[in-house]
Amino acid sequence: MAQDEKTVSDISTLLDYYDTSRNPGPKPEVGQIVFTPVLNTDRKHMIADAQRSDPNSHTRADLIIRAIDDSSDFRGKPERLPIYAMCLGQTEELVITRAKKRPCVVLAKSDGVKHMTLPVGQQGKALNAFDEIYWLAPIYSVSTGSKARAFGPVMTARVKCMMYMEFVYVPQSGLIIRNPSVIRLDRMFWSHLLGASEPQSLFLTPEILGICWNQIRILSGDTPEEDYVSMRELLLMDLPEECK
């Protein structure tokens, strides 16, 4: 924190964002950037109402796309013929949403539980129940001169100065993070990273991960570290008047 307050414009003047000393291992690690599908969560999902198109076939179905019906969906449809190719039970529904492959940062990981370590009679149910899984925060690009996005100039300036607890700014980095971007802690999710996922040779520094975790602490109602509070106060003091 030795820098003159007058020179401080955003967090990049205080901390390094990317850890150039780390190399990818055989599996994704905490702090690593991974490209993976991210589900859209901005609106109410749709239901794909599945009905067998052939009463004698379990591999063909007609899908009727409609809004969720709170009075009937997920409440059991005993009249619905089972569709074994979908493994769709009477109280289950097919939920439709859009997805886009985005860079995400790995915030945490669980190595899972190996089913063979359990008693023989319990191994079957645990076979696919406790696989390794990763806690991810997706990264969204900010507006550029050629393309407007939700994170416009004012929002981006505020995020750079840590105004919002659910957002953390990250700068462009080669062809991986292609534009200045924002880590969205309000879109965190768990994933097994089993399909269409690509770990990248790019890692956040422990300091930037620390900012993420301090903001998660605040979002969970906990108290952040004093160094984080001091840094945030310093940056907000330097936020341009037109962005406050």
Side-chain angles (χ1 to χ4, degrees):
M1 300 290 181
Q3 280 194 266
D4 187 339
E5 286 185 18
K6 293 182 180 179
T7 67
V8 173
S9 58
D10 61 67
I11 196 172
S12 65
T13 61
L14 300 175
L15 299 174
D16 292 328
Y17 274 90
Y18 299 112
D19 189 344
T20 58
S21 67
R22 295 182 66 180
N23 295 310
K27 295 182 179 180
E29 298 292 339
V30 172
Q32 190 170 1
I33 304 300
V34 177
F35 278 83
T36 195
V38 177
L39 299 183
N40 174 58
T41 59
D42 293 338
R43 60 189 67 207
K44 193 173 182 179
H45 295 322
M46 303 291 284
I47 291 290
D49 204 347
Q51 300 175 1
R52 269 206 233 167
S53 53
D54 181 351
N56 299 313
S57 173
H58 288 291
T59 61
R60 297 175 61 86
D62 294 324
L63 298 180
I64 301 173
I65 309 300
R66 58 171 176 76
I68 290 178
D69 185 344
D70 293 332
S71 66
S72 62
D73 291 334
F74 303 102
R75 296 175 180 270
K77 294 184 172 69
E79 74 283 357
R80 181 169 64 191
L81 292 174
I83 305 171
Y84 294 121
M86 295 181 179
C87 300
L88 192 65
Q90 290 184 356
T91 60
E92 297 176 327
E93 307 290 349
L94 293 178
V95 177
I96 300 295
T97 186
R98 293 178 290 119
K100 182 177 180 179
K101 198 169 185 179
R102 296 182 181 276
C104 300
V105 58
V106 179
L107 295 173
K109 61 177 290 189
S110 167
D111 292 331
V113 178
K114 305 302 182 185
H115 72 284
M116 294 299 291
T117 64
L118 299 173
V120 174
Q122 300 172 31
Q123 290 181 9
K125 290 291 186 181
L127 181 61
N128 297 310
F130 308 114
D131 294 336
E132 62 187 9
I133 194 168
Y134 302 85
W135 193 25
L136 307 174
I139 299 173
Y140 286 59
S141 296
V142 305
S143 292
T144 63
S146 61
K147 188 168 185 179
R149 294 182 171 90
F151 288 95
V154 170
M155 274 292 293
T156 301
R158 291 175 177 178
V159 173
K160 283 183 175 182
C161 293
M162 299 163 61
M163 177 180 287
Y164 304 105
M165 297 302 97
E166 62 269 42
F167 306 130
V168 179
Y169 177 79
V170 288
Q172 183 267 347
S173 178
L175 296 178
I176 298 176
I177 307 297
R178 300 192 176 198
N179 298 299
S181 299
V182 174
I183 299 171
R184 297 203 61 169
L185 301 179
D186 62 340
R187 296 289 190 270
M188 295 183 292
F189 65 101
W190 287 91
S191 171
H192 296 292
L193 296 178
L194 293 179
S197 298
E198 299 174 275
Q200 303 296 306
S201 182
L202 185 66
F203 296 81
L204 295 185
T205 60
E207 291 77 14
I208 298 302
L209 282 174
I211 288 175
C212 292
W213 279 106
N214 270 287
Q215 295 191 181
I216 291 171
R217 288 175 65 173
I218 295 172
L219 291 171
S220 66
D222 200 356
T223 302
E225 297 172 349
E226 290 184 7
D227 284 350
Y228 169 87
V229 174
S230 298
M231 183 186 301
R232 182 171 183 267
E233 290 175 349
L234 178 63
L235 292 172
L236 287 175
M237 285 175 57
D238 206 50
L239 182 63
E241 192 65 34
E242 63 271 18
C243 296
K244 293 181 178 179

